[in-house]
Amino acid sequence: MSTRARPGWMEKPKPATQAAKAVALAAVVLLVCVPFLVILSTSLASQREVVANGGWVLWPQHPTLKAYRDILDGGIVTHALGVSAGVTLLSLVCTVTLAYALSRPGVFGGKPVLLLILFTFLFPPGMIPGFLLVKELGMLDSYSSLILPVLVNVFNLVVLRGFFQAIPEELYEAARLDGAGDWRVLWSVVLPLSKAALAVVGLFYAVAYWNSWFYASLYLESDHWPLQQVLRTYVVAGSGLTDTTVGEGTVNAPQTVQMAVLVIATVPILLVYPFLQKYFTKGVLTGAVKS
């Protein structure tokens, strides 16, 4: 019997059912792709063409990258991209090192630290206490207000710790016999074997920081903005872009610039996700089951 044969309990699909599934799938694809195509086309269209078509362009007749050049020349978007990417990398590094320390048996203070971390997961602080703490520590209007309160995510930490514990102890012992220290073991043994978990946790952090807007609006008053705060300024507010952000003076963001910022904020995650999707099941389940 062929390995592709259908199980006995599964009914043979009917043509009408197959056609309905195909129509439903096509409808979902259109609902997802058409709006994104409109956004991309509008960002590539000239301002005159956008006005002539009532604000939206499905297919630009004379594509231009002027909106993207204006955005990148201003510096605020590239700076915001750097902030979001840098915070993601910092959180991933801190989570990996802490998870590795907590995964090793006999670490001094390991259990109390783990219990303290899990306590914050079960009883998270409220918004007002968090704001008052950031204010009293003098971190308002600084990058530390965005980084320190959410530097290590407890769920990501538990997943990585469980994954590191699932690595055979013989590998650690073999590295120790070869004279490797903790950093060498982490870099040469643990990380190469943990690509699935690192990919999942890294994507979790990237999406979280990429979509982070609330804390930036709460803590920051200057131009230390992450990407989503810049996106909100362009798309939602549509104005208020001063000489510290784009050009000189206060300008109203045209439709092409708004859509170009939206594309810049969306495309990086779309490009990364397909390559990391295959690691999701392995990375999350292995760490969670072991934990």
Side-chain angles (χ1 to χ4, degrees):
M1 180 180 294
S2 174
T3 57
R4 296 180 178 273
R6 303 175 64 85
W9 52 266
M10 186 179 294
E11 297 181 1
K12 185 177 181 180
K14 298 179 180 179
T17 303
Q18 293 293 88
K21 291 180 179 179
V23 171
L25 180 60
V28 172
V29 171
L30 289 176
L31 289 175
V32 173
C33 293
V34 170
F36 185 78
L37 176 61
V38 171
I39 292 173
L40 180 62
S41 299
T42 304
S43 69
L44 296 174
S46 63
Q47 185 62 21
R48 179 179 300 178
E49 190 175 2
V50 172
V51 174
N53 287 273
W56 303 99
V57 177
L58 183 60
W59 193 263
Q61 298 297 324
H62 304 285
T64 176
L65 296 176
K66 183 178 183 304
Y68 293 93
R69 288 195 296 267
D70 292 341
I71 292 171
L72 298 179
D73 290 343
I76 182 63
V77 174
T78 54
H79 178 74
L81 287 170
V83 171
S84 299
V87 174
T88 299
L89 180 61
L90 182 61
S91 289
L92 184 60
V93 170
C94 292
T95 304
V96 167
T97 53
L98 182 57
Y100 174 71
L102 295 177
S103 67
R104 305 315 304 140
V107 175
F108 177 75
K111 288 185 177 180
V113 171
L114 180 60
L115 291 176
L116 183 62
I117 293 173
L118 294 177
F119 181 83
T120 63
F121 182 69
L122 297 174
F123 303 98
M127 179 180 65
I128 295 178
F131 177 83
L132 293 177
L133 179 61
V134 170
K135 181 179 179 181
E136 291 300 322
L137 293 177
M139 297 191 301
L140 286 179
D141 201 24
S142 66
Y143 291 128
S144 57
S145 63
L146 295 180
I147 298 173
L148 294 182
V150 292
L151 181 61
V152 176
N153 181 274
V154 179
F155 174 78
N156 295 337
L157 176 67
V158 170
V159 169
L160 277 183
R161 176 178 175 270
F163 201 97
F164 293 162
Q165 288 179 328
I167 297 176
E169 192 65 28
E170 291 77 9
L171 294 178
Y172 291 102
E173 294 176 357
R176 297 290 187 187
L177 291 175
D178 290 338
D182 287 325
W183 289 108
R184 185 66 176 178
V185 172
L186 175 62
W187 181 259
S188 300
V189 177
V190 176
L191 294 185
L193 296 175
S194 307
K195 293 179 181 179
L198 292 177
V200 173
V201 171
L203 186 61
F204 283 168
Y205 274 127
V207 172
Y209 287 126
W210 217 259
N211 293 328
S212 177
W213 164 78
F214 177 74
Y215 288 108
S217 64
L218 189 64
Y219 297 141
L220 300 183
E221 298 179 359
S222 64
D223 58 350
H224 299 140
W225 290 344
L227 184 61
Q228 295 304 319
Q229 181 71 0
V230 175
L231 178 61
R232 179 187 180 277
T233 302
Y234 276 89
V235 177
V236 178
S239 61
L241 305 177
T242 61
D243 55 356
T244 60
T245 59
V246 121
E248 297 181 354
T250 302
V251 298
N252 290 325
Q255 193 83 347
T256 54
V257 175
Q258 294 176 355
M259 296 303 104
V261 175
L262 190 58
V263 170
I264 292 176
T266 305
V267 166
I269 296 297
L270 291 180
L271 294 179
V272 171
Y273 182 79
F275 297 99
L276 301 182
Q277 186 181 13
K278 63 180 180 180
Y279 296 113
F280 265 40
T281 303
K282 181 180 178 182
V284 175
L285 289 183
T286 303
V289 171
K290 181 65 179 178
S291 300

Short mmCIF file of all heavy atoms in Angstrom, two decimals, residues 4-44:
data_model
loop_
_atom_site.label_atom_id
_atom_site.label_comp_id
_atom_site.label_asym_id
_atom_site.label_seq_id
_atom_site.Cartn_x
_atom_site.Cartn_y
_atom_site.Cartn_z
N ARG A 4 1.12 7.26 0.78
CA ARG A 4 0.26 8.43 0.63
C ARG A 4 -1.23 8.07 0.65
O ARG A 4 -2.08 8.93 0.45
CB ARG A 4 0.58 9.16 -0.69
CG ARG A 4 1.99 9.74 -0.71
CD ARG A 4 2.26 10.44 -2.03
NE ARG A 4 3.56 11.04 -2.06
CZ ARG A 4 3.85 12.26 -1.63
NH1 ARG A 4 2.89 13.01 -1.13
NH2 ARG A 4 5.08 12.73 -1.69
N ALA A 5 -1.55 6.80 0.85
CA ALA A 5 -2.96 6.40 0.88
C ALA A 5 -3.65 7.04 2.07
O ALA A 5 -3.08 7.23 3.14
CB ALA A 5 -3.06 4.87 0.97
N ARG A 6 -4.92 7.36 1.88
CA ARG A 6 -5.70 8.01 2.94
C ARG A 6 -6.05 6.99 4.01
O ARG A 6 -6.29 5.82 3.71
CB ARG A 6 -6.97 8.63 2.36
CG ARG A 6 -6.71 9.64 1.25
CD ARG A 6 -8.02 10.12 0.64
NE ARG A 6 -8.82 10.84 1.62
CZ ARG A 6 -8.67 12.14 1.88
NH1 ARG A 6 -7.76 12.84 1.25
NH2 ARG A 6 -9.44 12.73 2.78
N PRO A 7 -6.08 7.39 5.27
CA PRO A 7 -6.50 6.45 6.33
C PRO A 7 -7.93 5.97 6.11
O PRO A 7 -8.75 6.64 5.46
CB PRO A 7 -6.40 7.31 7.60
CG PRO A 7 -5.49 8.45 7.24
CD PRO A 7 -5.69 8.70 5.78
N GLY A 8 -8.22 4.81 6.66
CA GLY A 8 -9.55 4.23 6.46
C GLY A 8 -10.66 5.06 7.06
O GLY A 8 -11.80 5.04 6.58
N TRP A 9 -10.35 5.78 8.15
CA TRP A 9 -11.39 6.57 8.81
C TRP A 9 -11.67 7.89 8.12
O TRP A 9 -12.65 8.58 8.42
CB TRP A 9 -11.00 6.84 10.27
CG TRP A 9 -9.62 7.45 10.42
CD1 TRP A 9 -8.47 6.79 10.65
CD2 TRP A 9 -9.29 8.83 10.33
NE1 TRP A 9 -7.41 7.66 10.73
CE2 TRP A 9 -7.89 8.92 10.53
CE3 TRP A 9 -10.01 10.00 10.10
CZ2 TRP A 9 -7.20 10.13 10.50
CZ3 TRP A 9 -9.33 11.21 10.08
CH2 TRP A 9 -7.94 11.27 10.29
N MET A 10 -10.81 8.27 7.16
CA MET A 10 -10.97 9.56 6.49
C MET A 10 -11.78 9.38 5.21
O MET A 10 -11.43 8.55 4.36
CB MET A 10 -9.61 10.16 6.17
CG MET A 10 -9.69 11.58 5.59
SD MET A 10 -8.05 12.27 5.25
CE MET A 10 -7.40 12.39 6.92
N GLU A 11 -12.85 10.13 5.10
CA GLU A 11 -13.70 10.02 3.92
C GLU A 11 -13.00 10.59 2.69
O GLU A 11 -12.17 11.49 2.79
CB GLU A 11 -15.01 10.77 4.15
CG GLU A 11 -15.86 10.21 5.28
CD GLU A 11 -17.15 10.99 5.44
OE1 GLU A 11 -17.35 11.94 4.66
OE2 GLU A 11 -17.94 10.65 6.34
N LYS A 12 -13.38 10.05 1.55
CA LYS A 12 -12.84 10.54 0.30
C LYS A 12 -13.43 11.93 0.02
O LYS A 12 -14.64 12.12 0.11
CB LYS A 12 -13.20 9.59 -0.84
CG LYS A 12 -12.58 9.98 -2.17
CD LYS A 12 -12.92 8.95 -3.24
CE LYS A 12 -12.30 9.34 -4.56
NZ LYS A 12 -12.60 8.35 -5.64
N PRO A 13 -12.59 12.92 -0.29
CA PRO A 13 -13.11 14.28 -0.49
C PRO A 13 -14.02 14.35 -1.70
O PRO A 13 -13.76 13.75 -2.74
CB PRO A 13 -11.84 15.11 -0.71
CG PRO A 13 -10.82 14.13 -1.20
CD PRO A 13 -11.13 12.83 -0.51
N LYS A 14 -15.07 15.09 -1.53
CA LYS A 14 -16.01 15.29 -2.63
C LYS A 14 -15.57 16.49 -3.47
O LYS A 14 -14.97 17.43 -2.95
CB LYS A 14 -17.40 15.54 -2.07
CG LYS A 14 -17.94 14.36 -1.25
CD LYS A 14 -19.31 14.68 -0.68
CE LYS A 14 -19.85 13.51 0.14
NZ LYS A 14 -21.17 13.79 0.73
N PRO A 15 -15.88 16.48 -4.76
CA PRO A 15 -15.48 17.61 -5.61
C PRO A 15 -16.04 18.94 -5.12
O PRO A 15 -15.35 19.96 -5.19
CB PRO A 15 -16.06 17.23 -6.98
CG PRO A 15 -16.16 15.73 -6.95
CD PRO A 15 -16.48 15.38 -5.53
N ALA A 16 -17.27 18.94 -4.63
CA ALA A 16 -17.85 20.19 -4.14
C ALA A 16 -17.09 20.71 -2.93
O ALA A 16 -16.85 21.92 -2.79
CB ALA A 16 -19.32 19.97 -3.78
N THR A 17 -16.68 19.80 -2.05
CA THR A 17 -15.91 20.21 -0.87
C THR A 17 -14.56 20.77 -1.27
O THR A 17 -14.11 21.79 -0.73
CB THR A 17 -15.73 19.01 0.08
OG1 THR A 17 -17.01 18.48 0.43
CG2 THR A 17 -14.98 19.43 1.33
N GLN A 18 -13.90 20.11 -2.19
CA GLN A 18 -12.60 20.59 -2.66
C GLN A 18 -12.72 21.95 -3.32
O GLN A 18 -11.87 22.83 -3.12
CB GLN A 18 -12.01 19.58 -3.65
CG GLN A 18 -11.65 18.23 -3.04
CD GLN A 18 -10.49 18.33 -2.07
OE1 GLN A 18 -10.70 18.59 -0.88
NE2 GLN A 18 -9.28 18.13 -2.57
N ALA A 19 -13.78 22.13 -4.10
CA ALA A 19 -13.97 23.43 -4.74
C ALA A 19 -14.24 24.53 -3.72
O ALA A 19 -13.73 25.66 -3.83
CB ALA A 19 -15.13 23.34 -5.74
N ALA A 20 -15.04 24.22 -2.70
CA ALA A 20 -15.32 25.21 -1.65
C ALA A 20 -14.06 25.60 -0.90
O ALA A 20 -13.84 26.77 -0.58
CB ALA A 20 -16.37 24.65 -0.68
N LYS A 21 -13.19 24.62 -0.63
CA LYS A 21 -11.93 24.92 0.04
C LYS A 21 -11.05 25.81 -0.82
O LYS A 21 -10.40 26.74 -0.32
CB LYS A 21 -11.20 23.62 0.38
CG LYS A 21 -11.86 22.79 1.47
CD LYS A 21 -11.06 21.52 1.73
CE LYS A 21 -11.70 20.69 2.84
NZ LYS A 21 -10.95 19.43 3.11
N ALA A 22 -11.01 25.50 -2.11
CA ALA A 22 -10.19 26.32 -3.02
C ALA A 22 -10.71 27.76 -3.08
O ALA A 22 -9.92 28.72 -3.06
CB ALA A 22 -10.18 25.70 -4.42
N VAL A 23 -12.02 27.93 -3.14
CA VAL A 23 -12.60 29.28 -3.18
C VAL A 23 -12.31 30.02 -1.88
O VAL A 23 -11.94 31.21 -1.88
CB VAL A 23 -14.12 29.19 -3.43
CG1 VAL A 23 -14.77 30.56 -3.25
CG2 VAL A 23 -14.40 28.66 -4.83
N ALA A 24 -12.46 29.33 -0.76
CA ALA A 24 -12.19 29.97 0.54
C ALA A 24 -10.73 30.37 0.66
O ALA A 24 -10.40 31.47 1.13
CB ALA A 24 -12.58 29.02 1.67
N LEU A 25 -9.82 29.49 0.21
CA LEU A 25 -8.39 29.81 0.27
C LEU A 25 -8.06 30.99 -0.63
O LEU A 25 -7.28 31.89 -0.25
CB LEU A 25 -7.58 28.58 -0.14
CG LEU A 25 -6.06 28.74 -0.13
CD1 LEU A 25 -5.58 29.09 1.26
CD2 LEU A 25 -5.38 27.46 -0.64
N ALA A 26 -8.65 31.01 -1.84
CA ALA A 26 -8.41 32.13 -2.75
C ALA A 26 -8.92 33.44 -2.16
O ALA A 26 -8.28 34.49 -2.29
CB ALA A 26 -9.06 31.86 -4.10
N ALA A 27 -10.08 33.39 -1.50
CA ALA A 27 -10.63 34.60 -0.89
C ALA A 27 -9.72 35.12 0.22
O ALA A 27 -9.48 36.34 0.34
CB ALA A 27 -12.03 34.32 -0.34
N VAL A 28 -9.19 34.21 1.04
CA VAL A 28 -8.28 34.62 2.12
C VAL A 28 -7.01 35.24 1.55
O VAL A 28 -6.52 36.27 2.05
CB VAL A 28 -7.96 33.41 3.02
CG1 VAL A 28 -6.87 33.77 4.02
CG2 VAL A 28 -9.21 32.96 3.77
N VAL A 29 -6.46 34.61 0.50
CA VAL A 29 -5.25 35.15 -0.12
C VAL A 29 -5.50 36.55 -0.67
O VAL A 29 -4.67 37.45 -0.52
CB VAL A 29 -4.76 34.19 -1.23
CG1 VAL A 29 -3.65 34.84 -2.04
CG2 VAL A 29 -4.29 32.88 -0.61
N LEU A 30 -6.64 36.75 -1.32
CA LEU A 30 -6.96 38.07 -1.85
C LEU A 30 -7.12 39.10 -0.74
O LEU A 30 -6.66 40.24 -0.85
CB LEU A 30 -8.23 38.00 -2.70
CG LEU A 30 -8.10 37.27 -4.05
CD1 LEU A 30 -9.46 37.19 -4.74
CD2 LEU A 30 -7.10 37.98 -4.94
N LEU A 31 -7.78 38.69 0.34
CA LEU A 31 -7.98 39.61 1.47
C LEU A 31 -6.66 40.04 2.09
O LEU A 31 -6.54 41.13 2.63
CB LEU A 31 -8.87 38.96 2.52
CG LEU A 31 -10.35 38.80 2.17
CD1 LEU A 31 -11.08 38.03 3.26
CD2 LEU A 31 -11.01 40.17 1.97
N VAL A 32 -5.66 39.17 2.03
CA VAL A 32 -4.36 39.49 2.61
C VAL A 32 -3.47 40.23 1.62
O VAL A 32 -2.81 41.22 1.99
CB VAL A 32 -3.66 38.20 3.09
CG1 VAL A 32 -2.24 38.50 3.54
CG2 VAL A 32 -4.45 37.56 4.22
N CYS A 33 -3.46 39.77 0.38
CA CYS A 33 -2.49 40.29 -0.59
C CYS A 33 -2.92 41.62 -1.21
O CYS A 33 -2.06 42.48 -1.45
CB CYS A 33 -2.25 39.25 -1.69
SG CYS A 33 -1.42 37.77 -1.10
N VAL A 34 -4.20 41.78 -1.49
CA VAL A 34 -4.64 43.00 -2.17
C VAL A 34 -4.37 44.25 -1.35
O VAL A 34 -3.82 45.24 -1.88
CB VAL A 34 -6.13 42.90 -2.56
CG1 VAL A 34 -6.66 44.24 -3.05
CG2 VAL A 34 -6.32 41.84 -3.64
N PRO A 35 -4.70 44.31 -0.05
CA PRO A 35 -4.36 45.52 0.71
C PRO A 35 -2.86 45.80 0.74
O PRO A 35 -2.45 46.96 0.64
CB PRO A 35 -4.90 45.20 2.12
CG PRO A 35 -5.97 44.20 1.89
CD PRO A 35 -5.49 43.37 0.75
N PHE A 36 -2.05 44.75 0.88
CA PHE A 36 -0.61 44.97 0.89
C PHE A 36 -0.14 45.47 -0.47
O PHE A 36 0.75 46.33 -0.55
CB PHE A 36 0.12 43.69 1.26
CG PHE A 36 1.60 43.86 1.40
CD1 PHE A 36 2.12 44.43 2.56
CD2 PHE A 36 2.47 43.48 0.41
CE1 PHE A 36 3.49 44.61 2.70
CE2 PHE A 36 3.83 43.65 0.54
CZ PHE A 36 4.35 44.21 1.69
N LEU A 37 -0.70 44.95 -1.57
CA LEU A 37 -0.35 45.43 -2.90
C LEU A 37 -0.71 46.89 -3.08
O LEU A 37 0.05 47.67 -3.66
CB LEU A 37 -1.04 44.57 -3.96
CG LEU A 37 -0.83 44.99 -5.42
CD1 LEU A 37 0.64 44.93 -5.78
CD2 LEU A 37 -1.67 44.13 -6.35
N VAL A 38 -1.86 47.28 -2.56
CA VAL A 38 -2.28 48.69 -2.64
C VAL A 38 -1.32 49.59 -1.86
O VAL A 38 -0.93 50.66 -2.33
CB VAL A 38 -3.72 48.85 -2.13
CG1 VAL A 38 -4.09 50.32 -2.00
CG2 VAL A 38 -4.70 48.13 -3.06
N ILE A 39 -0.93 49.14 -0.67
CA ILE A 39 0.01 49.93 0.13
C ILE A 39 1.34 50.07 -0.59
O ILE A 39 1.92 51.17 -0.67
CB ILE A 39 0.19 49.27 1.51
CG1 ILE A 39 -1.11 49.38 2.31
CG2 ILE A 39 1.35 49.91 2.27
CD1 ILE A 39 -1.07 48.61 3.61
N LEU A 40 1.87 48.96 -1.11
CA LEU A 40 3.15 48.99 -1.82
C LEU A 40 3.05 49.86 -3.07
O LEU A 40 3.95 50.66 -3.36
CB LEU A 40 3.57 47.57 -2.17
CG LEU A 40 4.89 47.42 -2.92
CD1 LEU A 40 6.05 47.94 -2.09
CD2 LEU A 40 5.13 45.95 -3.30
N SER A 41 1.97 49.72 -3.85
CA SER A 41 1.82 50.51 -5.08
C SER A 41 1.69 51.99 -4.76
O SER A 41 2.26 52.83 -5.46
CB SER A 41 0.59 50.02 -5.85
OG SER A 41 0.73 48.66 -6.22
N THR A 42 0.96 52.31 -3.72
CA THR A 42 0.80 53.72 -3.34
C THR A 42 2.13 54.33 -2.91
O THR A 42 2.42 55.50 -3.21
CB THR A 42 -0.23 53.86 -2.21
OG1 THR A 42 -1.46 53.26 -2.62
CG2 THR A 42 -0.48 55.32 -1.86
N SER A 43 2.95 53.53 -2.22
CA SER A 43 4.25 54.06 -1.79
C SER A 43 5.18 54.31 -2.98
O SER A 43 6.09 55.14 -2.88
CB SER A 43 4.90 53.08 -0.81
OG SER A 43 5.29 51.88 -1.47
N LEU A 44 4.97 53.60 -4.09
CA LEU A 44 5.81 53.76 -5.27
C LEU A 44 5.26 54.76 -6.27
O LEU A 44 5.93 55.09 -7.25
CB LEU A 44 6.00 52.40 -5.96
CG LEU A 44 6.74 51.33 -5.17
CD1 LEU A 44 6.72 50.02 -5.92
CD2 LEU A 44 8.17 51.76 -4.88
#
